[in-house]
Amino acid sequence: MLSQSEFDALPKVRMGRRELLAGLAAGTVFPFAATGCTAENPALGRRQLMLVSDDQIAQLSDQTWQAARQRERVSNDPALRRQADRVGSRIANASGMSQHAWEFVVFDSDEVNAWVLPNGKVGLYRGLMETTRNDDQLATVIGHEAGHVAGRHAQERASQQMAAGMATGLAAVALDQADVQNAGAWAGVLGAGLTFGVLLPYSRRHELEADRLGVDYMARANYRPSESVIFWQSMMDQSQRGAPPAFLSTHPSDQERMNALNSHIRSRGYA
């Protein structure tokens, strides 16, 4: 991993921000790859740019989680809490990511939303849980979030932001001081921005990868992958009837998602 001084010494890429991000995501921008800052992700079957370490991300994730629990009201509904733990533990076990201390907390809000931090902390809003019709559909949500963790999407996005020069100052402060005051800003990079009103969405590629991995975890946990199609379709229907649910605000909700999901389910032979 690069220190800030090493990062500053890297050769500058002369292209627009949009083109640089697209090039990084596609693996076509080579000055950073040449430094050895890419890593193979077996879950995705591709290499990723990694300029931040797992330890750095874990520390910032822990602080963000504590800040979220202080800012949000945690639900006392025993049925919702049992459901979150029941479904979440099965998905976590199926994912094989036992290195994380998984935690599933229900926030008492009508918001239809959920998010995950790279350390396995999952925030589920009452509004979203009440929207799901059964454990299988909740497994769709938690499986998708676990897919982001396995995909190391937060680390990759943070690295892309740093490499593009969009978050160099923020990274220097956060990585040097790692104080709670920076947790709100880092939450956007980590994918939990809705909690703090600072949202930097995952890319379409990340969302489709999380869908695919989530379906695999559902199947391993003996949930019905077919329910994932029903869930996402219901989210899309809500979006078409008015303002999109918060859970869809950063997600591809078009036919591409449904086509990719159905194709993966058929290719795996899931019922």
Side-chain angles (χ1 to χ4, degrees):
M1 304 300 169
L2 295 182
S3 66
Q4 188 61 44
S5 61
E6 290 171 328
F7 174 77
D8 291 338
L10 288 174
K12 301 300 183 289
V13 179
R14 303 299 181 185
M15 60 175 66
R17 186 173 68 182
R18 183 183 299 274
E19 294 143 312
L20 178 55
L21 282 175
L24 287 168
T28 56
V29 177
F30 295 107
F32 299 102
T35 68
C37 292
T38 63
E40 181 72 24
N41 188 326
L44 301 179
R46 65 177 177 87
R47 297 190 69 80
Q48 296 175 290
L49 181 72
M50 288 292 155
L51 297 177
V52 293
S53 72
D54 288 341
D55 287 344
Q56 290 166 338
I57 286 290
Q59 183 179 20
L60 293 166
S61 297
D62 289 342
Q63 292 170 2
T64 300
W65 182 243
Q66 294 305 317
R69 297 203 56 165
Q70 291 172 5
R71 297 186 186 204
E72 301 280 356
R73 185 170 63 182
V74 176
S75 173
N76 291 320
D77 187 318
L80 290 180
R81 294 173 68 166
R82 283 196 301 269
Q83 185 186 23
D85 287 337
R86 178 176 67 247
V87 177
S89 62
R90 283 175 59 177
I91 291 294
N93 289 336
S95 74
M97 292 184 284
S98 59
Q99 72 272 29
H100 298 301
W102 290 89
E103 189 174 353
F104 307 92
V105 170
V106 181
F107 295 118
D108 191 13
S109 168
D110 292 333
E111 190 173 356
V112 180
N113 195 24
W115 46 263
V116 69
L117 293 170
N119 58 356
K121 309 301 183 187
V122 180
L124 300 160
Y125 289 76
R126 173 175 50 78
L128 182 137
M129 294 191 66
E130 292 174 347
T131 299
T132 59
R133 301 175 184 175
N134 49 47
D135 279 8
D136 302 271
Q137 292 191 9
L138 182 58
T140 298
V141 174
I142 298 178
H144 175 91
E145 300 302 342
H148 280 311
V149 177
R152 303 184 73 193
H153 290 152
Q155 293 93 316
E156 182 174 38
R157 185 169 183 83
S159 297
Q160 290 170 345
Q161 297 279 356
M162 288 180 66
M166 295 169 63
T168 304
L170 173 62
V173 174
L175 298 181
D176 287 345
Q177 299 179 9
D179 57 43
V180 175
Q181 291 179 344
N182 291 318
W186 266 96
V189 179
L190 297 176
L194 283 172
T195 306
F196 304 94
V198 183
L199 183 62
L200 294 176
Y202 287 123
S203 70
R204 178 177 298 271
R205 181 181 193 176
H206 287 167
E207 294 301 332
L208 295 178
E209 287 175 339
D211 282 354
R212 172 174 58 81
L213 290 171
V215 166
D216 289 341
Y217 299 153
M218 287 179 68
R220 292 177 198 168
N222 293 318
Y223 289 113
R224 294 173 292 175
S226 59
E227 285 291 318
S228 65
V229 176
I230 297 173
F231 170 79
W232 287 118
Q233 186 61 59
S234 71
M235 289 291 100
M236 293 168 63
D237 290 344
Q238 287 187 47
S239 177
Q240 292 168 3
R241 289 195 296 267
F247 192 53
L248 278 187
S249 63
T250 63
H251 291 226
S253 57
D254 53 19
Q255 196 59 43
E256 180 184 2
R257 159 168 261 155
M258 302 305 294
N259 290 342
L261 197 57
N262 280 308
S263 176
H264 183 67
I265 288 173
R266 285 194 303 270
S267 69
R268 293 288 195 180
Y270 297 145

